[in-house]
Amino acid sequence: MNINLKTILSAHTFFVFITFSLFFLFQSPKSMLSFSQIQDVKTVRIFETSAAGHALTEIQSSPHLGESIHVKIDTSKKYQQIVGFGGSFTEASAFLLNRMSESKRASIIKAYFSDEGAKYSLTRTHINSCDFSLDHYAYAMVPGDISLEHFSIQKDVQDLFPMIKSAQSVSTEGFRLIASPWTAPPWMKDNNDWVGGKLLQQYNSTWALYYAKYIKACSANGIPIWGITVINEPHGNGNNWESMLFTPEEMTMFVQQYLGPTLEREGLGDVNILGYDQNRAGLKQWVDAMYKDSSSSRYFAGTAIHWYESTFDFFPKELQYASAKGPNKYLIQTEACIDAEIPHWKDDAWYWKEEATDWGWDWAPDDQKHLHPKYAPAHRYARDIIGCLQNNVHGWIDWNMVLDKQGGPNWFKNWCIAPVIVDTASDEVYFTPLYYIMSHFSKYIRPGAHIVGSSCSHPDIMIVAAENPDKSLSVTVFNPTKQQHPLSIQLHNQQIFVQIDRQALQTILFTHK
């Protein structure tokens, strides 16, 4: 064989070129997929929110050549259909928006509802006043007005409705709205007070009619009501702010004999009635009463739940029990917030640290103290939403959309944190990490999506996958650990490699576009 020096040098140069090209291909942050491409998916995009500073930031991750955490997605296994994700329209939020400049007010509404923003699709508001109102109010304040001739929602037309209608104007796909009363007017109650007490039996028909008048008044103002809860927190709230008490049997009777028939008679039978509307630990006794038989369950479209029973436990056994008891009923998380805390202004790091406390930190009985340790707010949101979706919950609603630097306004001074905090004096807006965490779900898991099968080989990493109506697939991964982790994601017969940062929430979006 006759090979000259020039040929040898050329071969050597080619070998070096190939070696360095492969090295940079695997090391470059712009190289997102391994050689094992997804054949039936045209685009894979990765979005991350993290303690390191990412805020729904689109990233690209190089393939990992070593050992990876194995994630498997099985789209042949389909579970519950998603209703939506979002937050709540409260008088407190509307009051603050009205005191911001027009441009800042518009930026907040767009951030929540536009296609470029979080695309909120499921929301809530209050019937009559609540703790996040400026003061007590109701729509019928004339004692003994059993036919509700003096019923008027004019206060909401002035305060709340402009915020809702602003959201409607920027939402291209629209959103569903659930309305919840905290209490009936005092004159309908046995203690004649805003706080505590029970509905007097002679006003069962009047109170049922109250919902119908409210729903019709909202509709007349261009605001359709998709669903109602019977009462917010029927166990009460320690006699602190607006409340009205029901037992499971009392609420079931009221819906079965009064509320359901009244809405049906008024042509509002398509409005979804959700029972309970409080913490998950008590779910069993409530769904046992609501879904006891076909007669008791007839008018209930589903069950509403809150998260305040623990700062870390999402109560999977209780969620599974409720789902099995009412397999064709909705299970919707209607309220959650970082409570008993004043917002930390423009301090993203705080939301990722285990420094927050809740009401249970001070007031929980000794046998429940373990459920209320200090926690990281960002972790709590990510963990709870994924935990809910893994256990048949159809929708997840946050509490106030906007609060001030004090965590109000709130007539009871029951301070809390919202995803968006404003300073009306300086016309400043702070989008906390909680806003971006909510956006991972609301923006990329759309109404009509189905939760599909998923598994992860790492015990501390949580994952959920959803197939959207447009056949895009959203895989949401939460890494609460202090280490970065390489992930190997298997979808059908293909595999991709991504890397998730420490303390991070990541969405991997597979589309056909």
Side-chain angles (χ1 to χ4, degrees), residues 472-488:
S472 64
L473 183 73
S474 177
V475 179
T476 312
V477 185
F478 173 48
N479 174 22
T481 74
K482 299 300 176 64
Q483 294 85 36
Q484 289 183 334
H485 290 292
L487 305 176
S488 167

Side-chain angles (χ1 to χ4, degrees), residues 391-411:
N391 289 278
N392 296 327
V393 171
H394 298 84
W396 206 98
I397 305 174
D398 190 32
W399 190 206
N400 298 274
M401 291 188 213
V402 184
L403 292 175
D404 62 21
K405 292 170 70 175
Q406 179 62 42
N410 179 304
W411 71 263

Side-chain angles (χ1 to χ4, degrees), residues 219-451:
S219 179
N221 281 273
I223 298 174
I225 300 298
W226 178 82
I228 57 171
T229 70
V230 183
I231 204 74
N232 177 75
E233 299 181 348
H235 292 310
N237 49 52
N239 288 328
N240 290 313
W241 52 86
E242 286 94 334
S243 58
M244 188 166 73
L245 308 180
F246 281 91
T247 67
E249 292 73 23
E250 288 168 345
M251 182 180 288
T252 300
M253 181 279 295
F254 174 71
V255 171
Q256 182 180 353
Q257 298 182 20
Y258 296 94
L259 182 57
T262 297
L263 294 188
E264 196 170 61
R265 186 171 58 251
E266 295 289 329
L268 301 170
D270 58 343
V271 175
N272 295 284
I273 301 174
L274 305 176
Y276 191 36
D277 208 13
Q278 199 158 358
N279 297 332
R280 299 168 199 168
L283 262 175
K284 184 180 186 301
Q285 67 181 117
W286 281 85
V287 295
D288 280 350
M290 292 163 53
Y291 306 144
K292 181 179 179 181
D293 53 41
S294 59
S295 180
S296 66
S297 65
R298 175 185 172 188
Y299 291 108
F300 283 112
T303 307
I305 51 174
H306 297 179
W307 80 348
Y308 302 107
E309 204 82 41
S310 171
T311 61
F312 67 88
D313 190 356
F314 49 87
F315 295 91
K317 290 182 180 179
E318 287 78 3
L319 294 176
Q320 288 287 346
Y321 183 89
S323 178
K325 193 73 176 181
N328 299 314
K329 306 291 187 179
Y330 290 118
L331 189 55
I332 295 179
Q333 160 75 25
T334 52
E335 186 182 315
C337 71
I338 306 302
D339 64 319
E341 284 281 354
I342 293 175
H344 288 245
W345 177 253
K346 296 188 176 181
D347 182 8
D348 284 4
W350 180 84
Y351 294 84
W352 293 95
K353 295 177 181 177
E354 292 185 355
E355 295 182 0
T357 59
D358 72 332
W359 66 269
W361 175 261
D362 296 312
W363 302 109
D366 289 341
D367 64 341
Q368 297 177 21
K369 281 285 188 184
H370 70 282
L371 293 170
H372 302 275
K374 286 181 177 289
Y375 66 96
H379 289 207
R380 187 178 181 187
Y381 267 73
R383 182 189 302 115
D384 195 86
I385 299 173
I386 293 177
C388 280
L389 296 179
Q390 289 173 333
N391 289 278
N392 296 327
V393 171
H394 298 84
W396 206 98
I397 305 174
D398 190 32
W399 190 206
N400 298 274
M401 291 188 213
V402 184
L403 292 175
D404 62 21
K405 292 170 70 175
Q406 179 62 42
N410 179 304
W411 71 263
F412 186 73
K413 297 181 171 54
N414 174 32
W415 313 126
C416 296
I417 299 176
V420 176
I421 306 299
V422 298
D423 183 342
T424 57
S426 61
D427 198 37
E428 291 182 89
V429 181
Y430 172 39
F431 289 89
T432 75
L434 305 180
Y435 164 79
Y436 298 102
I437 288 174
M438 284 295 304
S439 298
H440 274 270
F441 300 94
S442 62
K443 190 175 181 71
Y444 300 115
I445 304 178
R446 302 302 300 157
H450 280 93
I451 300 301

Side-chain angles (χ1 to χ4, degrees), residues 50-67:
S50 68
H54 283 154
L56 205 68
T57 305
E58 186 165 6
I59 63 171
Q60 294 179 322
S61 177
S62 61
H64 183 77
L65 302 180
E67 185 176 352

